[in-house]
Amino acid sequence: MTPAEPIVAVQGLAAYYGRTQVLFDVGFEVRSGGVTALLGANGAGKTTTLMALSGLVQREGDIRLCGVQGRRLAAESVARLGVAHVPADRGTFMPLSAEENLLLGAYLHRNRQEVARDLERMYAYFPRLRQRRHQQAGTLSGGEQQMLAIARALMLRPTLLMLDEPSFGLAPLVVQEVYQILHTIREQEGLSLLLVEQNANLAFGIATQVYLLETGRVVAHGTPDQMRCNDAVRQAYLGH
Ligand SMILES: Nc1ncnc2c1ncn2[C@@H]1O[C@H](COP(=O)(O)OP(=O)(O)O)[C@@H](O)[C@H]1O
Ligand SMILES: [Mg+2]
């Protein structure tokens, strides 16, 4: 992989549930160290796009992930490439403790000292998780569960972190807290983000590139500044 090559390059992506096609000719990029946001209303195809990258739905088209042609990769190999996916349902193992969940995120790493260091780093980002490390994950608040899901994904030491609506169902103050931590993590870990959001202001606040999805198609893309001037975006997402 050359330094200038994007971490993710997708062209002509189609995805299907059974015979129903839900993505049509979707194309986008995540540049190395960049933050790409997929913005769209409910049902636009955002979750399906992330699932297609992870190899969890039937798909066609050209996908390059971390310099590797991704078409035939299974979900585990995607993780081995350094892609961590925080799914919409957060994928928490509810009966296990917060710390046991974090350790599961490190399943590809064998060196215990390094894993212990990663754990400490996560507790520094998310002090609330340290406080609740022995608490059953199912009893954590929604915000704490979202933080746990992000921290668990980071335990993989990903080069690309894919986040499916990290703000979903959270109170505004908690959303702010989660996004502040995402900003910090992005700077300190130097990773690339592929972020799915329904909230345009959140997406514009962190993204370097934004793609607007409608009924399974990319209908606009650009930098946050360009997207703020886009009429479709202004009417549907910014309310002016
Ligand atoms: N498991 C499924 N089976 C059939 N259709 C699905 C399934 N999941 C999602 N869809 C459909 O695919 C389209 C895109 O959904 P999704 O990717 O979940 O959108 P978003 O994440 O943007 O809300 C929607 O029309 C949705 O109804
Ligand atoms: Mg979704």
Side-chain angles (χ1 to χ4, degrees):
M1 199 177 148
T2 58
E5 188 175 346
I7 297 282
V8 180
V10 172
Q11 278 185 328
L13 178 66
Y16 304 82
Y17 293 105
R19 284 191 204 156
T20 310
Q21 184 171 357
V22 301
L23 294 184
F24 305 84
D25 195 23
V26 166
F28 62 92
E29 273 187 6
V30 184
R31 293 184 195 154
S32 181
V35 180
T36 291
L38 305 177
L39 180 65
N42 230 343
K46 305 180 299 298
T47 293
T48 304
T49 304
L50 296 192
M51 303 240 291
L53 291 190
S54 283
L56 300 172
V57 294
Q58 198 194 328
R59 67 190 186 192
E60 289 168 359
D62 290 329
I63 299 175
R64 282 182 76 79
L65 280 181
C66 305
V68 174
Q69 191 73 39
R71 276 184 88 155
R72 292 187 184 78
L73 286 173
E76 190 195 45
S77 331
V78 172
R80 282 183 197 282
L81 279 180
V83 179
H85 183 172
V86 179
D89 69 2
R90 296 165 188 157
T92 308
F93 298 92
M94 300 297 186
L96 301 183
S97 72
E99 186 155 296
E100 286 164 336
N101 268 274
L102 292 178
L103 292 173
L104 282 175
Y107 71 105
L108 287 179
H109 303 306
R110 298 269 172 261
N111 183 318
R112 286 185 176 204
Q113 281 178 334
E114 284 174 19
V115 170
R117 270 202 296 274
D118 289 342
L119 205 52
E120 273 308 305
R121 214 168 70 253
M122 292 312 125
Y123 289 143
Y125 288 136
F126 302 97
R128 287 214 232 170
L129 294 184
R130 189 198 296 278
Q131 283 167 20
R132 307 198 185 287
R133 65 205 289 178
H134 301 305
Q135 194 171 318
Q136 221 182 349
T139 67
L140 298 176
S141 72
E144 287 160 358
Q145 287 195 27
Q146 185 60 55
M147 292 176 197
L148 180 62
I150 295 168
R152 199 185 79 210
L154 290 172
M155 291 294 287
L156 184 73
R157 292 177 213 142
T159 48
L160 173 71
L161 180 61
M162 305 201 296
L163 297 162
D164 197 336
E165 292 199 51
S167 65
F168 187 81
L170 304 183
L173 276 178
V174 182
V175 170
Q176 265 182 34
E177 198 182 340
V178 168
Y179 266 80
Q180 241 154 37
I181 297 171
L182 283 178
H183 278 277
T184 307
I185 287 168
R186 195 214 148 190
E187 279 167 20
Q188 302 210 351
E189 307 272 318
L191 41 68
S192 311
L193 293 184
L194 178 56
L195 172 75
V196 156
E197 259 303 340
Q198 286 195 41
N199 181 321
N201 286 316
L202 288 173
F204 293 169
I206 193 167
T208 49
Q209 287 291 316
V210 181
Y211 293 77
L212 179 63
L213 277 176
E214 271 176 28
T215 53
R217 292 176 174 83
V218 173
V219 295
H221 73 97
T223 63
D225 282 345
Q226 289 166 336
M227 295 297 271
R228 278 193 191 96
C229 303
N230 179 297
D231 284 342
V233 173
R234 277 181 26 209
Q235 281 161 21
Y237 293 90
L238 302 175
H240 59 82

